[in-house]
């Protein structure tokens, strides 16, 4: 090789951009847990504060299911677009945009007008849509296969942690400073997360498209539709999706209505009811880690089926709970529901990453999330409708029992 060629190669090597090293896996997980924690504000801030807001807004607390449905309606707009947008902007930037939109959506609820509450839910949902598939994209490449369930479950622990923070903190702030200040504090958490994860971008967003290389809107929509087609071609992914929809009904109906149920049906104070929900979400954190450890040893399908059975039993207990029940028993039923109906997501996402075709973890997760969101458009309003028809919460919890039973049957038949 001539000296001229050697010199040219040296110049090219010196001019080549240096890709920063990826952050350590624990730091990535911590950032994603924070994003999930902030994301739960979109779902729970208004439902948890609904009893305090009702006298001023005129919106009954029993309509909290409509809020959850509107959040998912917003998520359905942005969730399927996550895969293509990650390649255009990078996973970290996608999460930052999500946090800002989500925080603005939560803050809008402070206006208190029914129209503002509806717009708040939709905007917060649009911010939340990319959070789960974006997080799966960022962590999948850095996760050893033998620890997939544990790593994904630790990441997803941010969901019950976030629910626990909202359930405990939002009512406490409302009692001291009013529900509007409480809403703005929950929105502020999302803005802080958006700023805090900026240092991770250099090491994690290096796989995004070069400027000018991204496809147009039509191509993005076409790819999003192709991702949804995975539910038709990947049968085991479709089975996992069916289970997720069933378990999700129990998870979000429980999280949305547990506080209002205790206040309206059991005569529990708002503060105590919020603390019981916080305990249930804490059980969800423990459950996510415990189920993950078992899944890495016993297999995901067995563990997920066990979660469905546990959630069905807890749902039965809540369906028949009445004013004469000891508070400890109600709290225990809530904690079982939290450990199972809230604790399954990490194992499910790890299994979705395993079942996804190569390079399509984000797309497969977005497709599953889309089906999940479509279910949530119907289930929480159906729970609200059952309250209106029956005058109580029992029929709604029985609906959760049926949903989790169907999900458990679906996943029990999956290939090991």
């Amino acid at each position: 090789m001539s000296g001229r060629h050697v010199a040219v190669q040296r110049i090219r090597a010196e001019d080549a951009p240096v890709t920063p090293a990826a952050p350590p896996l624990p730091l990535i997980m911590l950032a994603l847990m924070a994003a999930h924690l902030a994301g739960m504000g979109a779902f729970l801030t208004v439902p948890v504060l609904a009893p305090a807001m009702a006298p001023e807004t005129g919106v009954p607390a029993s309509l909290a299911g409509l809020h959850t449905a509107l959040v998912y309606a917003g998520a359905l707009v942005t969730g399927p677009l996550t895969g293509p947008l990650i390649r255009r902007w990078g996973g970290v930037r996608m999460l930052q945009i999500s946090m800002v939109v989500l925080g603005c959506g939560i803050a809008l609820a402070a206006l208190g007008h029914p129209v503002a509450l509806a717009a708040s839910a939709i905007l917060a949902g649009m911010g939340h849509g990319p959070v789960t598939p974006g997080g799966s994209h960022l962590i999948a490449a850095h996760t050893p296969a033998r620890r997939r369930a544990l790593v994904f479950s630790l990441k997803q622990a941010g969901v019950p942690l976030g629910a626990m923070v909202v359930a405990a903190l939002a009512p406490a702030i409302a009692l001291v400073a009013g529900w509007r200040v409480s809403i703005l504090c929950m929105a502020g958490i999302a803005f802080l997360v958006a700023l805090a994860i900026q240092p991770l971008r250099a090491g994690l967003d290096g796989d995004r498209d070069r400027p000018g290389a991204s496809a147009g809107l039509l191509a993005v929509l076409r790819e999003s539709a192709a991702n949804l087609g995975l539910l038709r071609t990947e049968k085991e992914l479709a089975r996992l999706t069916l289970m997720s929809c069933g378990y999700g009904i129990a998870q979000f109906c429980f999280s949305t209505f547990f506080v209002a149920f205790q206040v309206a049906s059991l005569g529990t104070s708002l503060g105590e009811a919020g603390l019981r929900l916080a305990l249930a979400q804490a059980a969800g954190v423990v459950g996510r880690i415990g189920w993950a450890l078992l899944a890495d040893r016993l297999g995901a399908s067995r563990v997920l089926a066990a979660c469905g059975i546990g959630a069905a039993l807890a749902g039965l207990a809540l369906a028949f709970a009445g004013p004469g029940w000891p508070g400890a028993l109600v709290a225990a039923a809530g904690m079982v529901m939290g450990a199972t109906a809230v604790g399954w997501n990490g194992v499910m996402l790890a299994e979705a990453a395993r079942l996804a075709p190569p390079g399509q973890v984000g797309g497969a997760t977005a497709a599953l999330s889309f089906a999940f969101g479509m279910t949530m458009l119907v289930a929480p309003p159906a729970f609200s409708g059952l309250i209106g028809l029956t005058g109580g919460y029992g029929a709604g919890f029985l609906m959760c029992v049926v949903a989790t039973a169907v999900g458990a049957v679906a996943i029990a038949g999956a290939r090991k």
Side-chain angles (χ1 to χ4, degrees), residues 105-284:
I106 296 174
L108 188 59
L111 295 177
H113 191 278
V115 174
L117 293 176
S120 162
I122 293 172
L123 185 60
M126 292 178 69
H128 191 276
V131 172
T132 298
S136 293
H137 165 84
L138 286 172
I139 207 168
H142 304 278
T143 303
R146 68 183 184 280
R147 290 289 180 263
R148 183 183 290 114
L150 177 60
V151 170
F152 273 76
S153 292
L154 287 172
K155 172 181 78 75
Q156 289 298 118
V159 174
L161 279 173
M164 185 170 59
V165 169
V166 176
L169 195 58
I173 295 175
L175 290 174
V176 174
W179 59 266
R180 284 187 169 86
V181 173
S182 181
I183 286 174
L184 294 177
C185 288
M186 298 304 105
I189 294 175
F191 297 139
L192 288 175
V193 171
L195 290 173
I197 63 177
Q198 172 61 27
L200 302 181
R201 189 168 190 245
L204 292 178
D205 281 359
D207 59 346
R208 66 187 185 275
D209 290 343
R210 297 185 309 277
S214 300
L217 177 61
L218 185 60
V220 169
L221 295 175
R222 190 181 299 116
E223 183 176 343
S224 300
N227 288 337
L228 295 176
L230 293 173
L231 298 181
R232 184 181 67 255
T233 58
E234 305 292 331
K235 301 303 181 184
E236 294 303 311
L237 184 63
R239 186 185 291 272
L240 185 70
T241 301
L242 176 60
M243 180 218 74
S244 300
C245 292
Y247 290 9
I249 290 173
Q251 176 184 359
F252 278 94
C253 287
F254 167 73
S255 297
T256 300
F257 291 101
F258 188 49
V259 170
F261 155 69
Q262 294 176 80
V263 173
S265 299
L266 309 183
T268 310
S269 68
L270 177 62
E272 185 177 354
L275 286 176
R276 289 178 186 171
L277 178 58
L279 286 174
Q281 299 296 343

Side-chain angles (χ1 to χ4, degrees), residues 254 258 280 310 313-315 317-318 321 325 327-340:
F254 167 73
F258 188 49
L313 293 175
L318 293 175
W325 278 43
L329 191 57
V330 176
M335 290 177 70
V336 173
M337 184 68 89
T340 54

